[in-house]
Amino acid sequence: MGKLIYFLFESERIRRNMKRALIILSFLIVLLLAYLVPYTILRSESLAWLTYPFWCIDTLIAIALMFYITSKWRD
Amino acid sequence: MDPLLVLGSIAVFFAICFVIAHHGKLRTGKTIEEYFIAGRNIGSFIAALTYSATTYSAFMMVGLVGLTAIHGVGALGFELIYMMGLVLAVAFGLRFYVAGKKWGLVTPAQLLVERYGSPLLGLIAAILYHIFLIPYMAVQLIGAGALLSGITKGAVPFEVGALILAAIAFAYTIWGGMRAVAWTDALQALIMLISSLLMLFIVFQLAGGVGVVFSKLLQEPQMLSVPGPHNRFAITAFISMTIPWFFFSVSNPQVVQRFYIPRSVKSLKNMIRGFLVFGFIYTVIVTMLGLVAHVLVPWVQNQNMVTPTLLTMVPEPIAILVLIGILAASISTLDSIMLTLSSEFAIDIMKVIKPQCSEALALKAGKAFMTVILIATIAFSFTKGLIVELAVTSSSWLLQLVPAFIAALIWSKANKVSAYLSIASGVITTALLTFLGANPLGVAPGIWGFLVAIIALIIPSLILKADERGIYLKNSLDESLKKLLK
């Protein structure tokens, strides 16, 4: 029984850590894209107009992630 | 525009602000904690708006509009990467809040004193804050001076405009403390948002409508992409500009101090979320204004003069509302920095110079020192430097304190020696490279200083033995956080 409780507790902890790692990774990707995409793909004249909407959408995703992280905050 | 009408409108608006500030003062007790952080009792709505108004200054409506109008959409990326940096407020804001409550912190530098057990470290941080923030405070006065002078076609000289703003900010900050600042910030933030939105609507109409503006912009693809028509946003320059900006929410003490003011974790959460929404909308409005300005006033090549020129083209009542919105943005940043620096002086400088001084005396000294800060800022503003450059310079220097702060919150191995070494080496590296005029690999001195500060923090922390005090404080902070995040 003790082992089972330990296993359940540990798997919950691992699951939580993986979730946290996934959020951090997602944020890093969003941030990296904010630098990479406008300076590579969107530099061509035909795609230049996409730079503005791209940065806006990228930031909105970052904001959504921040909302998600803070949803755990409680008094 | 008639200078009397302009000055009269400003007088009416700030009279309203002063009434609000006075009510704030009536609710403020006599302790240092009450005066500087409103007794940690600010609710969600006001907290979100004071955070927004403190962060957004004349830099936005004067500096960023000009930057976008002349150098294109790179300005949007620059500002939105700042917004992404709010992830640091999300990552560390709760720790600052808990540490503030647990250890009774009022100033950001007090965190270093408490965690590393060194009042001298707090004193050094407080002095550095004073030095590095004066250019950023001057930015607010430069914005106001340029604007008032531009809109009245020189009838109100630049210096007079700057002095008016300085006097108003000084008057109600010293009068009411944080509660007055937060309440007036809230009103000012709303005016900033509404007036800029109204201005955007009108300038789009003046330029012939949304369709006309975008079809003209599409003919200039360089305006819509990086590095922009004048290569202002070359990748190294972009990195140099955005890194200090990314760390703004944990490097600027007037912003960090706002983590101490919410009355609950819920208020703190709403403060950050509210700011994210406000910031995104405001940034889009401001950069759109810049793009329209590029179509409407392409002949203006001085960044600081784009907005004043636009204001001469819109109907007078709108121009006055926008002018007040911009002055509100300037003043709300200026008063917050002034209050923070005053608290740093009262707590982190006075208490080291004169350890026996009473709380009342320290508070008086802090208030008196505001005058010195104000005079230095006015003097600096008369240099009329470029707003964007001055703002980024301030943040680059402040960046050197960030590793010591973050380590104080999350790393038990960080110690007093590593914190000293980190701050000293970061500042010295930045100073040396700046004075030599060197930008290795095209990256600004502040970024190199920051890298050195990180290394100087990590290596001694790993080599030296962690002190018991640090381990105990870090663990007790972690325990409190665990309870909150259950």
Side-chain angles (χ1 to χ4, degrees):
Chain A
M1 187 65 179
K3 269 187 181 173
L4 180 67
I5 291 171
Y6 178 77
F7 173 77
L8 288 174
F9 177 75
E10 271 301 285
S11 59
E12 172 60 23
R13 197 174 63 86
I14 291 166
R15 197 180 62 81
R16 233 185 301 143
N17 283 347
M18 277 183 69
K19 208 170 173 185
R20 190 187 291 175
L22 192 70
I23 292 168
I24 293 171
L25 187 69
S26 310
F27 193 88
L28 287 176
I29 291 170
V30 168
L31 181 63
L32 199 65
L33 288 178
Y35 284 92
L36 282 181
V37 176
Y39 280 91
T40 53
I41 302 165
L42 301 180
R43 273 188 90 157
S44 74
E45 281 197 5
S46 58
L47 295 176
W49 66 275
L50 280 171
T51 310
Y52 197 103
F54 168 77
W55 261 325
C56 288
I57 293 165
D58 199 46
T59 307
L60 284 173
I61 297 169
I63 291 174
L65 284 170
M66 288 186 250
F67 265 67
Y68 179 75
I69 300 168
T70 51
S71 64
K72 302 276 185 293
W73 293 10
R74 277 183 190 87
D75 282 291
Chain B
M1 198 179 290
D2 180 10
L4 276 180
L5 181 68
V6 171
L7 294 175
S9 312
I10 294 171
V12 170
F13 175 68
F14 287 112
I16 296 169
C17 287
F18 204 85
V19 171
I20 296 171
H22 181 66
H23 278 278
K25 182 192 167 62
L26 294 178
R27 292 267 302 271
T28 299
K30 294 206 182 305
T31 64
I32 273 194
E33 191 173 291
E34 270 287 323
Y35 184 78
F36 287 123
I37 54 170
R40 302 178 206 280
N41 196 22
I42 298 285
S44 304
F45 184 70
I46 300 285
L49 290 177
T50 183
Y51 194 103
S52 306
T54 298
T55 300
Y56 292 127
S57 60
F59 167 82
M60 292 295 276
M61 278 295 281
V62 182
L64 199 69
V65 170
L67 189 70
T68 315
I70 293 166
H71 299 286
V73 296
L76 172 81
F78 161 59
E79 194 58 29
L80 286 184
I81 286 175
Y82 160 71
M83 296 268 336
M84 292 189 192
L86 254 284
V87 73
L88 299 172
V90 169
F92 306 114
L94 192 56
R95 284 177 183 268
F96 272 112
Y97 171 82
V98 173
K101 269 201 155 170
K102 226 174 151 53
W103 305 329
L105 309 180
V106 172
T107 70
Q110 263 185 303
L111 176 74
L112 298 181
V113 177
E114 195 62 35
R115 167 64 176 78
Y116 295 117
S118 168
L120 186 62
L121 194 59
L123 176 92
I124 291 169
I127 292 171
L128 291 176
Y129 282 151
H130 280 84
I131 298 167
F132 301 155
L133 276 169
I134 284 174
Y136 192 51
M137 289 169 79
V139 163
Q140 315 314 319
L141 300 187
I142 293 168
L147 195 67
L148 281 172
S149 155
I151 202 169
T152 59
K153 297 202 166 68
V156 177
F158 170 88
E159 289 77 8
V160 174
L163 282 172
I164 289 172
L165 187 88
I168 294 167
F170 177 74
Y172 71 73
T173 308
I174 203 162
W175 184 245
M178 175 59 89
R179 198 167 271 109
V181 166
W183 287 6
T184 48
D185 276 2
L187 172 71
Q188 289 164 1
L190 292 174
I191 290 174
M192 282 156 62
L193 197 64
I194 294 166
S195 62
S196 58
L197 190 62
L198 211 57
M199 169 96 165
L200 180 63
F201 181 72
I202 288 168
V203 292
F204 258 126
Q205 283 191 328
L206 284 175
V210 178
V212 175
V213 170
F214 284 105
S215 64
K216 281 187 181 165
L217 285 170
L218 282 172
Q219 289 162 18
E220 291 180 74
Q222 280 183 319
M223 274 300 287
L224 296 175
S225 61
V226 281
H230 311 290
N231 214 27
R232 177 71 180 84
F233 296 108
I235 186 69
T236 47
F238 191 72
I239 291 171
S240 299
M241 285 173 88
T242 50
I243 290 182
W245 230 224
F246 185 83
F247 286 90
F248 190 98
S249 64
V250 286
S251 66
N252 276 250
Q254 75 280 12
V255 181
V256 171
Q257 201 170 38
R258 266 140 186 85
F259 295 133
Y260 299 152
I261 65 170
R263 74 166 62 109
S264 62
V265 175
K266 190 182 166 199
S267 300
L268 176 74
K269 174 166 80 174
N270 290 338
M271 177 178 89
I272 294 173
R273 286 177 163 194
F275 171 74
L276 286 168
V277 174
F278 183 103
F280 181 77
I281 296 171
Y282 194 49
T283 302
V284 169
I285 293 173
V286 167
T287 47
M288 275 287 170
L289 266 172
L291 290 176
V292 187
H294 177 78
V295 173
L296 206 56
V297 289
W299 62 88
V300 182
Q301 286 305 307
N302 178 350
Q303 274 173 225
N304 291 356
M305 291 314 291
V306 173
T307 301
T309 311
L310 279 183
L311 285 179
T312 59
M313 302 170 81
V314 301
E316 224 167 55
I318 303 293
I320 286 179
L321 185 66
V322 175
L323 171 76
I324 286 171
I326 299 170
L327 293 182
S330 298
I331 219 163
S332 56
T333 302
L334 191 62
D335 58 15
S336 301
I337 302 177
M338 229 188 273
L339 192 68
T340 302
L341 292 184
S342 163
S343 68
E344 292 286 356
F345 184 80
I347 295 167
D348 299 302
I349 297 179
M350 266 303 279
K351 294 248 170 156
V352 174
I353 296 171
K354 213 174 170 190
Q356 263 76 48
C357 88
S358 67
E359 193 173 296
L361 181 66
L363 184 57
K364 268 187 194 161
K367 285 183 181 180
F369 194 70
M370 263 192 226
T371 322
V372 180
I373 299 165
L374 188 77
I375 292 167
T377 307
I378 292 169
F380 202 91
S381 73
F382 288 174
T383 61
K384 298 184 189 176
L386 274 179
I387 285 178
V388 177
E389 278 66 18
L390 282 176
V392 175
T393 303
S394 268
S395 286
S396 301
W397 285 94
L398 289 169
L399 199 55
Q400 313 316 320
L401 283 92
V402 169
F405 268 99
I406 292 181
L409 291 168
I410 61 167
W411 198 25
S412 55
K413 281 189 83 67
N415 55 53
K416 185 163 62 178
V417 177
S418 59
Y420 273 113
L421 282 173
S422 172
I423 295 173
S425 54
V427 171
I428 290 168
T429 306
T430 309
L432 275 177
L433 291 175
T434 304
F435 294 122
L436 291 173
N439 283 356
L441 304 173
V443 175
I447 312 299
W448 291 111
F450 183 51
L451 291 175
V452 172
I454 294 171
I455 295 165
L457 184 103
I458 293 173
I459 295 174
S461 298
L462 292 174
I463 295 170
L464 297 168
K465 195 173 170 280
D467 58 76
E468 297 291 320
R469 176 195 174 88
I471 294 170
Y472 170 74
L473 290 175
K474 162 75 177 43
N475 289 344
S476 75
L477 189 60
D478 284 349
E479 277 303 311
S480 306
L481 278 165
K482 258 184 206 162
K483 280 180 198 159
L484 285 173
L485 295 173
K486 239 180 199 172

